[in-house]
Amino acid sequence: MNLTEKNIDDIIQKSNFSSFMNNSKWEKLFDSLVKEFDSVFIKYKLIGREKVLETEFNFVDFYPFFIEPILYKEIEWVEFPEKTLMINNKRISKQTISEHSQDITKIKNLINKIGDFDIEKYNGFLRLYGYK
């Protein structure tokens, strides 16, 4: 389900979210992460949705998109897992599973150099909030 900007703004307003991010901060964050680490594995939750998604993030999309057609302003939070399993290939007969590790302490240190963000570190995860 793709939301319009008006739908997104309505959800934000009705939910009484506090905003911690904007497009410029998201772009600067992901640009710095991709330059430093080539790619990062993330889990993310979008406002107004229950499902948590995951991906390997290895390039910054064109403004204002996080991952087209998802807008930066839709991101409720992003998690950087220390370890993750990724399913390769959507076709079941050709699927493989690969395990990936990333140093979330290095990721946190880079994030702290970029600016002031609302971050929590727990149980092998680093979570950065867009809204809370």
Side-chain angles (χ1 to χ4, degrees):
M1 169 179 85
N2 293 333
L3 299 175
T4 66
E5 281 200 66
K6 179 166 179 9
N7 295 133
I8 296 165
D9 291 338
D10 289 346
I11 291 169
I12 293 167
Q13 187 176 6
K14 288 176 186 171
S15 300
N16 289 322
F17 278 127
S18 293
S19 177
F20 296 98
M21 297 293 283
N22 60 38
N23 289 345
S24 297
K25 285 177 85 172
W26 280 121
E27 270 191 304
K28 185 175 182 180
L29 170 77
F30 283 117
D31 188 50
S32 297
L33 287 168
V34 169
K35 283 179 181 171
E36 179 70 22
F37 301 107
D38 292 330
S39 67
V40 288
F41 295 91
I42 61 171
K43 294 184 177 198
Y44 60 96
K45 182 177 179 308
L46 304 175
I47 60 167
R49 302 178 196 169
E50 294 301 316
K51 188 174 183 180
V52 174
L53 303 166
E54 61 186 312
T55 192
E56 178 181 6
F57 197 89
N58 53 15
F59 70 94
V60 178
D61 212 332
F62 296 102
Y63 175 84
F65 298 107
F66 163 54
I67 300 170
E68 195 169 355
I70 300 168
L71 300 169
Y72 283 116
K73 72 185 321 183
E74 291 181 72
I75 305 170
E76 185 173 333
W77 52 256
V78 171
E79 272 185 352
F80 303 89
E82 199 164 49
K83 295 182 190 236
T84 189
L85 296 175
M86 295 293 289
I87 297 173
N88 306 309
N89 205 326
K90 293 182 184 200
R91 187 180 213 176
I92 293 174
S93 64
K94 295 189 180 213
Q95 279 183 351
T96 59
I97 297 174
S98 55
E99 184 176 348
H100 299 276
S101 298
Q102 57 190 2
D103 188 335
I104 60 174
T105 300
K106 283 185 178 178
I107 292 171
K108 183 178 182 189
N109 290 340
L110 178 64
I111 290 170
N112 287 334
K113 286 180 186 176
I114 296 168
D116 190 24
F117 297 91
D118 189 334
I119 303 173
E120 292 178 358
K121 188 175 178 184
Y122 64 96
N123 284 348
F125 290 92
L126 181 65
R127 182 179 284 184
L128 186 147
Y129 289 93
Y131 302 97
K132 213 172 187 184

